[in-house]
Structures are given as structure tokens and as C-alpha cells.
Amino acid sequence: MASGCRDCSTCTKPGLVRLFQSWAVGALYLLTAGIAFVVKRGLMRHCPQCRHLLSNHARRRDGSFHD
């Protein structure tokens, strides 16, 4: 399985930026006692390849991905 996809804005960020982003998200999960994690994982759609939010993926006007 690939580590990311080229249409995802999170996957295409530099490694250091992703590291700080993951630390910030982890702090958010701790501060909200896990409620933000449950909402994100339970109510939002994710990419099957990289498991990031589908709303962060680049799309064409017809709704298809840029692949």
C-alpha cells in the first residue's frame, strides 16, 4: 500500500510540516478528551488510500480526482 496519494494536500506537504501538524492534532484530541477524534473518524469521509479527509483532495470540476 502506498504511503500517500498525490491528490491529497496533507500528503504533499513537507515532512516537517506534517510532523508539526500531527502534534497539533494530537494536542487537540487530548484537549477535547477524544471527542474531536470520534467526530472526525465517525462522521467525515476519508480517502481509502491515505486515510486523510476527502475534502483535502484536489478534484476536477466534474468531481473526479486529478489522478
Side-chain angles (χ1 to χ4, degrees):
M1 181 177 195
S3 63
C5 58
R6 63 180 175 191
D7 293 330
C8 181
S9 63
T10 305
C11 291
T12 57
K13 289 180 182 175
L16 189 61
V17 173
R18 286 188 306 204
L19 178 68
F20 287 130
Q21 184 179 12
S22 65
W23 283 351
V25 170
L28 174 72
Y29 291 160
L30 286 174
L31 291 174
T32 61
I35 294 171
F37 177 78
V38 171
V39 169
K40 181 181 180 284
R41 292 293 176 187
L43 300 178
M44 298 178 168
R45 295 183 59 188
H46 293 80
C47 174
Q49 184 177 3
C50 68
R51 297 187 187 119
H52 291 127
L53 292 176
L54 274 177
S55 61
N56 293 337
H57 286 65
R59 295 181 185 234
R60 294 186 185 108
R61 286 184 172 227
D62 64 355
S64 63
F65 293 107
H66 280 272
D67 287 331

